[in-house]
Amino acid sequence: MADENVKDGEDYRLDRNAELRFEVDSRNEVQMELVEGMAEVFGTELAKKQICAFLPGSKVAVYTYHGCVVKLRGKTEVAYISKETPMTMYLNTHAAMEQMRQKADIEETRGPRVLVVGPTDVGKSTLCRLLVNYAVRSGRSPMLVDLDVGQGQISVPGTLAAVVMERVADVEEGFVKTAPLVFHFGHKSPADNMTLFNTLMSRMAEVINIRSEQSQRVNSSGVVINTGGWVRGSGYDVLKHAAGSFEVDVILVLDQERLYNQLKGDLPEFVKIVLLPKSGGVVERSQHARAEARDMKIREYFYGVKGNFFPHTFEVKFSEVKLYKIGAPSLPESCLPLGMKASDSKTKVIPVLPTMTLLHHVLSVSASDSGDQNIVETNVLGFIIVTGIDMDKAVMTVLSPSPRPLPKSILLVMDIQFMDIK
């Protein structure tokens, strides 16, 4: 059925199993109100008569199973109603996962561990949000794991993160991420350091197993794992490593039969592999748009989604902190110390001297107390940005979400930069 264009500022009616998709204009915000019926945004139910405001550039899909009337106020780049939507299939996927959880409750075993894979810009993060929201609405506490270091939804780019979800995502601001587990990777793509990425994935899986053992509720609720869009060559090997590390039961492949058939051939039969279509509302993003999304994610960390956080700026003496970078440059085997492999250098912790090149870099504040600990596999407490360096005074000015002093003294340098122009 053809999509139906919508006029802004008017009430309009969605039939059963229809979806209103709109993208907010880059200079304005759009207000949305559910006037009649029942509807949801990415698995979060809308309250009737409550006005939701969406920021410039937001892409939103309002779905209804039974029909509804919605009002939009403000300028959109595009807005249309579609009846061609895969939402019923996504709901069926949730129902199958819920059956696995009920069985886990009865047998006191582990709930479903689901890996969501597919190329870039097919809606993997959105599907993860849907499945987690539906699970929470069913009374569960699933764990969301994000392995997408380029466009993560739990923490800033350049990290692997996991969090137990107790509440449905807010329509406007997304998930409440209370006490997430975050590991420093420091790059925008796993390709920049495959050895480190695989090491951190394995460590994340270990910690999740420990967390699951502590609570049968979390254990039976299962894990939903989001991945990046690199699915060929070494990227495919990363997906297989993730499937093995997290001992997944189900792999959801979005919009790529080739990847589906590869996984079917390479993974054991007990792993259920399901091919799902992507939503028609998903659009491909340019490299520039992806870079902007990374900047937005870092800005949200410090200032909040709606600019309601107030970060602190203060000076830190060089003598008060120790700076490190994880991963030494690749060297031929002949240049390495006796008994050392090339892959070992990829997880080596290298001391960094403070210089002007640190300006605008994102730094992770490690939870490690000393350089003797395994800094690579220690989680991080948060992030700061170097906004100024005075070599004469031997101090750097940092932007921090909390006031001085820094909670720990070991700082890990990312390859990711952010210009704070607020």
Side-chain angles (χ1 to χ4, degrees), residues 185-307:
F185 177 62
H187 310 278
K188 293 175 280 196
S189 167
D192 293 320
N193 193 334
M194 294 278 293
T195 307
L196 175 60
F197 190 81
N198 286 335
T199 300
L200 293 176
M201 269 202 296
S202 299
R203 176 62 181 150
M204 177 77 78
E206 281 174 29
V207 177
I208 282 170
N209 286 341
I210 293 166
R211 178 70 180 88
S212 298
E213 285 165 12
Q214 293 170 347
S215 164
Q216 180 54 32
R217 177 184 167 90
V218 172
N219 195 27
S220 62
S221 295
V223 183
V224 177
I225 307 159
N226 186 34
T227 60
W230 187 28
V231 296
R232 295 206 175 198
S234 299
Y236 178 70
D237 294 334
V238 167
L239 296 182
K240 287 198 295 182
H241 186 92
S245 295
F246 291 96
E247 300 168 355
V248 300
D249 315 295
V250 181
I251 298 181
L252 303 178
V253 184
L254 276 173
D255 195 49
Q256 195 176 93
E257 280 189 48
R258 179 182 182 276
L259 179 60
Y260 167 77
N261 285 305
Q262 262 187 299
L263 290 167
K264 282 281 263 191
D266 289 346
L267 292 182
E269 284 186 14
F270 63 79
V271 180
K272 298 183 184 73
I273 301 171
V274 182
L275 180 64
L276 291 172
K278 68 176 180 180
S279 167
V282 173
V283 292
E284 283 192 30
R285 292 177 294 177
S286 64
Q287 288 292 101
H288 176 69
R290 296 175 77 81
E292 279 193 339
R294 274 193 292 273
D295 279 354
M296 185 62 70
K297 201 72 196 170
I298 296 170
R299 180 173 295 284
E300 278 177 20
Y301 174 78
F302 288 96
Y303 293 99
V305 176
K306 297 198 167 178

Side-chain angles (χ1 to χ4, degrees), residues 333-355:
E333 297 277 354
S334 57
C335 299
L336 294 170
L338 196 62
M340 187 177 179
K341 294 184 228 165
S343 59
D344 296 339
S345 67
K346 292 294 187 180
T347 55
K348 191 171 170 56
V349 179
I350 313 293
V352 175
L353 291 173
T355 63

Side-chain angles (χ1 to χ4, degrees), residues 3 6 12 14 19-23 59-62 72 76 78-87 278-282:
D3 293 334
V6 174
Y12 46 89
L14 281 74
E19 194 168 52
L20 164 66
R21 299 169 183 155
F22 65 90
E23 184 176 340
K59 296 176 181 66
V60 184
V62 183
L72 278 187
T76 57
V78 62
Y80 62 95
I81 294 172
S82 175
K83 295 190 178 178
E84 301 292 333
T85 167
M87 281 294 292
K278 68 176 180 180
S279 167
V282 173

